[in-house]
Amino acid sequence: NTVRILVRGLKRVKLLNLLTGSPEMTGTIEEIPDIQDSSIECAAMAKNAQRLFQEIISMSPNFPEDLKVAIMNIDDYSRLADLLADTINISFFEKLGLLTASTLNERLHLITILLNREVEVLHLGSAIQSQVTSAMTQAHREFFLKEQLKAIKKELGEQETSPDMANFKKRI
């Protein structure tokens, strides 16, 4: 019995004043124009952000393939920054920082930093998982070899006795 909704912002706005007196929240807003920046620096940051996101998707199987295709085919750098911010796991305050960034260049710079951090977290998580698996594999291998050694000694008629057992036998 869960209801989910998806709300997508269409424009950036600034709240000028909050009107009170009615049960719903209303206010006066001013639209913030979305200035496209087609500079080489913005293009490079956008391509870098797409590359980093591709790396995140390759390490995280929980992202749908159509999202990867959508991210790779976005030409609007502003929309790219917004979609990436919505997709990756960042805090409310980091999202707020992206929303309040005044220029597209600043937003792309911030999203690149956050994507880099996410890639590092995924790499570290993968390395830790690899170490744990390796340690478990080594322990499993040692156990298996010890059991094989016991079986061989038993087959050869050699009894495996611990020093404590030998001491008890001697005393008896």
Side-chain angles (χ1 to χ4, degrees):
N1 294 332
T2 301
V3 176
R4 295 179 189 210
I5 62 168
L6 175 65
V7 178
R8 180 176 170 224
L10 301 176
K11 300 201 181 278
R12 286 173 137 47
V13 295
K14 179 179 181 179
L15 180 65
L16 298 176
N17 63 0
L18 190 59
L19 302 175
T20 57
S22 62
E24 63 276 343
M25 291 182 70
T26 58
T28 307
I29 59 167
E30 175 182 62
E31 185 179 331
I32 300 171
D34 203 11
I35 300 168
Q36 288 298 317
D37 185 349
S38 57
S39 68
I40 293 174
E41 186 179 1
C42 273
M45 282 192 290
K47 292 294 178 199
N48 188 43
Q50 287 173 321
R51 182 191 59 75
L52 288 168
F53 188 71
Q54 225 175 1
E55 190 172 346
I56 290 169
I57 282 183
S58 71
M59 297 175 71
S60 302
N62 54 343
F63 287 112
E65 187 64 28
D66 56 339
L67 177 63
K68 177 181 177 182
V69 172
I71 294 287
M72 297 313 292
N73 291 317
I74 291 179
D75 292 331
D76 180 355
Y77 301 148
S78 180
R79 178 76 184 117
L80 174 69
D82 292 341
L83 188 56
L84 288 173
D86 187 46
T87 304
I88 63 173
N89 186 22
I90 58 177
S91 73
F92 170 77
F93 292 107
E94 289 165 333
K95 286 183 183 186
L96 191 60
L98 282 164
L99 276 174
T100 59
S102 58
T103 65
L104 178 58
N105 194 334
E106 186 181 347
R107 285 171 48 215
L108 286 169
H109 182 75
L110 289 171
I111 199 68
T112 301
I113 290 169
L114 296 168
L115 286 166
N116 271 315
R117 185 188 68 196
E118 188 69 16
V119 167
E120 286 299 314
V121 166
L122 288 170
H123 279 300
L124 285 173
S126 179
I128 290 168
Q129 184 62 37
S130 178
Q131 289 172 351
V132 167
T133 302
S134 176
M136 286 180 62
T137 303
Q138 180 65 24
H140 184 262
R141 184 172 178 261
E142 287 175 8
F143 174 77
F144 182 71
L145 289 173
K146 285 179 183 177
E147 290 300 313
Q148 279 185 326
L149 185 59
K150 283 182 189 176
I152 291 169
K153 284 185 177 184
K154 184 177 181 183
E155 192 71 31
L156 292 173
E158 297 177 13
Q159 292 294 330
E160 184 178 319
T161 56
S162 68
D164 290 336
M165 290 301 288
N167 191 20
F168 287 135
K169 285 183 180 181
K170 183 178 174 184
R171 290 171 75 191
I172 291 174

